[in-house]
Amino acid sequence: MTTTATTTATTSAAATTTTTAATPTTPLPLVLAGARGHGRWHLDNIRRLQAEGLVRLAGICELTPLTEAELPEGIGTPAQSADFGALLDATGARIAVICTPIPTHTELALAAARRGVHLLLEKPPAPSYAEFRRMADGVAAAGVACQIGFQSLGSHAVPAIRELIDQGAIGRVAGVGGAGAWARDEAYYRRAPWAGRRRLNGVDVVDGVLTNPLAHATATALALVGTTGAGDVTGIETELWRANAVESDDTSCVRVTTARGPVTIAATLCAERPDEPYVLVHGGSGRITFWYKQDRVLVQRAGHGPEELHFGRTDLLENLVAHLTAGAELLVPPASTDAFMRVVEAVRTAPDPEPLPAGAWRTLPGERRRVVPGVDGLVAAAADTLSLYSELGAPWAPSKEVTAR
């Protein structure tokens, strides 16, 4: 039996590429748009940075104000308003964190940019490539900084893996796979009117498994091989399916053709046994597995024993503050998500997801969620072989039905 060597890589070449925010003389005033749902995570993170003297939560934009009980202890009493622009004006905010429904991202980002307010914009940055370009071009014209909220790209593992690839540690890259086997119950799709929708009131939403809950797998896989620009993508194939009674896909895969080989991502929200998502870089003489939520990397290569590495990560809001106060390089500017947005566009314009046959899924007793038997293995096999579900013999995808772009 081979023993896996474990190395803790808290100080690495990757870590030296980021800069810790210099404590400003006066904490930067900040407005959070969208403080419920995932916004609660941002509230806690803002509280942490506020305690360090980096930011000050000056305002919260919500349709219904947060109650005192909903505000984290120590966060203070920020101004609250449903009018984002007025709140920015009244508070003199330097930074806006936008964690609102996907279709609102572009307008809110541009409203902040017009006021000279810098941005942390949650992923996906927009529901279509056209809206993304309108947002990115408008932000650039306003001269404000914009960070896209792919937290996995703040991991110090990302530049470390790129360095291993560039050094030829696993030989010539043959492609990248990504696997995400998650579970979401019926309540997940009732959390908001836009949840699980492709469109709402004639407006694009594109809240599918590949573009929202497991968007990090797609963006991280593309980033590891330097496929960040729209021009780096030469083709996209999609297979979109749904077991749940929703519009968007919940069990899907995509294969992106790039100059450095195919990037295939398989994802489901109907896993039998939910597990940590990962990205797998295939090389001619080895492979690198990256569990991006854990900042954990496994390097397997010819002539070496397996090596497990653990990395730190730079918080993206903290990096934005460092950019504004100390000139640090932004980790995830809009330009670095251009290729990801090509994938979003391919999903948006693909035929609506096919419902899985009734016999292909079942409801777990007591959990109120649907599972697709065998999908966990299919997700892993897709990442391992860079194949689509239809090519792996999925019984509910008997023929290859893909959309090339």
Side-chain angles (χ1 to χ4, degrees), residues 303-338:
H304 297 74
E307 183 179 16
E308 187 170 300
L309 307 171
H310 296 264
F311 293 86
R313 71 167 54 190
T314 298
D315 174 73
L316 296 185
L317 179 54
E318 191 167 357
N319 173 244
L320 176 59
V321 173
H323 175 75
L324 300 177
T325 60
E329 183 178 355
L330 278 182
L331 291 174
V332 197
S336 69
T337 65
D338 218 32

Side-chain angles (χ1 to χ4, degrees), residues 147-159:
Q147 182 99 280
I148 306 301
F150 284 108
Q151 292 290 340
S152 61
L153 300 185
S155 176
H156 302 166
V158 171

Side-chain angles (χ1 to χ4, degrees), residues 123-181:
K123 58 80 189 164
S128 71
Y129 191 76
E131 283 291 279
F132 170 71
R133 283 269 39 104
R134 188 163 74 90
M135 179 278 296
D137 294 344
V139 164
V144 300
C146 180
Q147 182 99 280
I148 306 301
F150 284 108
Q151 292 290 340
S152 61
L153 300 185
S155 176
H156 302 166
V158 171
I161 293 171
R162 287 174 177 159
E163 185 176 354
L164 285 168
I165 291 171
D166 291 343
Q167 291 173 347
I170 58 170
R172 187 174 184 274
V173 171
V176 184

Side-chain angles (χ1 to χ4, degrees), residues 156-246:
H156 302 166
V158 171
I161 293 171
R162 287 174 177 159
E163 185 176 354
L164 285 168
I165 291 171
D166 291 343
Q167 291 173 347
I170 58 170
R172 187 174 184 274
V173 171
V176 184
W182 276 6
R184 293 293 184 266
D185 61 15
E186 292 178 9
Y188 174 78
Y189 294 105
R190 296 196 301 267
R191 73 191 192 280
W194 55 271
R197 302 293 295 268
R198 281 171 70 78
R199 301 167 199 88
L200 182 63
N201 299 325
V203 177
D204 290 318
V205 176
V206 200
D207 181 37
V209 62
L210 292 167
T211 54
N212 193 13
L214 281 157
H216 279 86
T218 307
T220 305
L222 292 167
L224 287 182
V225 289
T227 301
T228 56
D232 298 327
V233 174
T234 58
I236 301 175
E237 302 165 273
T238 61
E239 292 187 354
L240 311 179
W241 301 85
R242 57 180 178 85
N244 285 279
V246 294

Side-chain angles (χ1 to χ4, degrees), residues 228-317:
T228 56
D232 298 327
V233 174
T234 58
I236 301 175
E237 302 165 273
T238 61
E239 292 187 354
L240 311 179
W241 301 85
R242 57 180 178 85
N244 285 279
V246 294
E247 286 182 355
S248 283
D249 54 301
D250 59 35
T251 300
S252 298
C253 56
V254 61
R255 183 161 55 205
V256 184
T257 305
T258 80
R260 300 196 75 171
V263 174
T264 301
I265 309 297
T268 185
L269 299 179
C270 305
E272 294 179 283
R273 291 170 295 281
D275 205 353
E276 287 292 330
Y278 61 89
V279 173
L280 175 60
V281 184
H282 297 266
S285 58
R287 56 201 284 172
I288 300 172
T289 308
F290 176 28
W291 290 269
Y292 57 82
K293 287 179 65 67
Q294 300 175 324
D295 302 309
R296 181 164 64 95
V297 174
L298 177 63
V299 182
Q300 298 166 290
R301 48 182 166 165
H304 297 74
E307 183 179 16
E308 187 170 300
L309 307 171
H310 296 264
F311 293 86
R313 71 167 54 190
T314 298
D315 174 73
L316 296 185
L317 179 54

